[in-house]
PDB file of all heavy atoms in Angstrom:
ATOM      1  N   LEU A  14     143.742 128.596-149.762  1.00  0.00           N
ATOM      2  CA  LEU A  14     143.167 129.365-148.626  1.00  0.00           C
ATOM      3  C   LEU A  14     142.605 130.694-149.252  1.00  0.00           C
ATOM      4  O   LEU A  14     141.519 131.193-148.791  1.00  0.00           O
ATOM      5  CB  LEU A  14     144.129 129.529-147.543  1.00  0.00           C
ATOM      6  CG  LEU A  14     144.403 128.315-146.792  1.00  0.00           C
ATOM      7  CD1 LEU A  14     145.563 128.609-145.761  1.00  0.00           C
ATOM      8  CD2 LEU A  14     143.151 127.802-146.086  1.00  0.00           C
ATOM      9  N   ILE A  15     143.442 131.377-150.055  1.00  0.00           N
ATOM     10  CA  ILE A  15     142.913 132.662-150.633  1.00  0.00           C
ATOM     11  C   ILE A  15     141.605 132.463-151.452  1.00  0.00           C
ATOM     12  O   ILE A  15     140.701 133.257-151.411  1.00  0.00           O
ATOM     13  CB  ILE A  15     144.026 133.327-151.562  1.00  0.00           C
ATOM     14  CG1 ILE A  15     145.147 133.794-150.535  1.00  0.00           C
ATOM     15  CG2 ILE A  15     143.478 134.417-152.371  1.00  0.00           C
ATOM     16  CD1 ILE A  15     146.405 134.373-151.269  1.00  0.00           C
ATOM     17  N   ALA A  16     141.570 131.367-152.208  1.00  0.00           N
ATOM     18  CA  ALA A  16     140.397 131.095-153.041  1.00  0.00           C
ATOM     19  C   ALA A  16     139.165 130.776-152.153  1.00  0.00           C
ATOM     20  O   ALA A  16     138.095 131.185-152.403  1.00  0.00           O
ATOM     21  CB  ALA A  16     140.701 129.889-153.983  1.00  0.00           C
ATOM     22  N   GLN A  17     139.388 130.059-151.143  1.00  0.00           N
ATOM     23  CA  GLN A  17     138.380 129.653-150.163  1.00  0.00           C
ATOM     24  C   GLN A  17     137.848 130.940-149.430  1.00  0.00           C
ATOM     25  O   GLN A  17     136.613 131.246-149.311  1.00  0.00           O
ATOM     26  CB  GLN A  17     138.863 128.724-149.111  1.00  0.00           C
ATOM     27  CG  GLN A  17     138.941 127.273-149.583  1.00  0.00           C
ATOM     28  CD  GLN A  17     139.484 126.368-148.502  1.00  0.00           C
ATOM     29  OE1 GLN A  17     140.104 126.691-147.541  1.00  0.00           O
ATOM     30  NE2 GLN A  17     139.314 125.062-148.758  1.00  0.00           N
ATOM     31  N   ALA A  18     138.780 131.840-149.025  1.00  0.00           N
ATOM     32  CA  ALA A  18     138.416 133.120-148.439  1.00  0.00           C
ATOM     33  C   ALA A  18     137.596 133.998-149.413  1.00  0.00           C
ATOM     34  O   ALA A  18     136.644 134.625-149.071  1.00  0.00           O
ATOM     35  CB  ALA A  18     139.638 133.856-147.989  1.00  0.00           C
ATOM     36  N   GLU A  19     138.079 134.050-150.669  1.00  0.00           N
ATOM     37  CA  GLU A  19     137.352 134.777-151.678  1.00  0.00           C
ATOM     38  C   GLU A  19     135.948 134.220-151.893  1.00  0.00           C
ATOM     39  O   GLU A  19     134.991 134.971-152.009  1.00  0.00           O
ATOM     40  CB  GLU A  19     138.131 134.725-152.999  1.00  0.00           C
ATOM     41  CG  GLU A  19     137.667 135.709-154.056  1.00  0.00           C
ATOM     42  CD  GLU A  19     137.827 137.225-153.660  1.00  0.00           C
ATOM     43  OE1 GLU A  19     138.706 137.550-152.955  1.00  0.00           O
ATOM     44  OE2 GLU A  19     136.946 138.012-154.136  1.00  0.00           O
ATOM     45  N   ALA A  20     135.795 132.852-151.957  1.00  0.00           N
ATOM     46  CA  ALA A  20     134.542 132.207-152.101  1.00  0.00           C
ATOM     47  C   ALA A  20     133.642 132.545-150.905  1.00  0.00           C
ATOM     48  O   ALA A  20     132.469 132.811-151.085  1.00  0.00           O
ATOM     49  CB  ALA A  20     134.708 130.704-152.301  1.00  0.00           C
ATOM     50  N   GLU A  21     134.166 132.484-149.677  1.00  0.00           N
ATOM     51  CA  GLU A  21     133.376 132.817-148.500  1.00  0.00           C
ATOM     52  C   GLU A  21     132.916 134.305-148.510  1.00  0.00           C
ATOM     53  O   GLU A  21     131.803 134.602-148.175  1.00  0.00           O
ATOM     54  CB  GLU A  21     134.279 132.435-147.242  1.00  0.00           C
ATOM     55  CG  GLU A  21     133.477 132.609-145.992  1.00  0.00           C
ATOM     56  CD  GLU A  21     132.385 131.494-145.786  1.00  0.00           C
ATOM     57  OE1 GLU A  21     132.448 130.440-146.425  1.00  0.00           O
ATOM     58  OE2 GLU A  21     131.451 131.840-145.025  1.00  0.00           O
ATOM     59  N   LYS A  22     133.816 135.158-148.988  1.00  0.00           N
ATOM     60  CA  LYS A  22     133.549 136.570-149.042  1.00  0.00           C
ATOM     61  C   LYS A  22     132.344 136.686-150.098  1.00  0.00           C
ATOM     62  O   LYS A  22     131.329 137.481-149.702  1.00  0.00           O
ATOM     63  CB  LYS A  22     134.759 137.315-149.571  1.00  0.00           C
ATOM     64  CG  LYS A  22     134.462 138.817-149.863  1.00  0.00           C
ATOM     65  CD  LYS A  22     135.757 139.460-150.492  1.00  0.00           C
ATOM     66  CE  LYS A  22     135.439 140.728-151.228  1.00  0.00           C
ATOM     67  NZ  LYS A  22     136.569 141.188-151.918  1.00  0.00           N
ATOM     68  N   ILE A  23     132.411 136.081-151.162  1.00  0.00           N
ATOM     69  CA  ILE A  23     131.322 136.234-152.250  1.00  0.00           C
ATOM     70  C   ILE A  23     130.043 135.654-151.659  1.00  0.00           C
ATOM     71  O   ILE A  23     129.014 136.215-151.892  1.00  0.00           O
ATOM     72  CB  ILE A  23     131.751 135.533-153.542  1.00  0.00           C
ATOM     73  CG1 ILE A  23     132.929 136.299-154.184  1.00  0.00           C
ATOM     74  CG2 ILE A  23     130.622 135.404-154.422  1.00  0.00           C
ATOM     75  CD1 ILE A  23     133.547 135.544-155.345  1.00  0.00           C
ATOM     76  N   LYS A  24     130.119 134.563-150.917  1.00  0.00           N
ATOM     77  CA  LYS A  24     128.953 133.925-150.368  1.00  0.00           C
ATOM     78  C   LYS A  24     128.300 134.888-149.392  1.00  0.00           C
ATOM     79  O   LYS A  24     127.116 135.082-149.259  1.00  0.00           O
ATOM     80  CB  LYS A  24     129.307 132.621-149.671  1.00  0.00           C
ATOM     81  CG  LYS A  24     128.254 131.898-148.959  1.00  0.00           C
ATOM     82  CD  LYS A  24     128.666 130.613-148.297  1.00  0.00           C
ATOM     83  CE  LYS A  24     127.687 129.964-147.460  1.00  0.00           C
ATOM     84  NZ  LYS A  24     128.115 128.874-146.746  1.00  0.00           N
TER      85      LYS A  24
END
Side-chain angles (χ1 to χ4, degrees):
L14 289 174
I15 289 174
Q17 284 177 343
E19 192 64 32
E21 189 65 24
K22 174 184 161 189
I23 292 170
K24 179 182 171 187

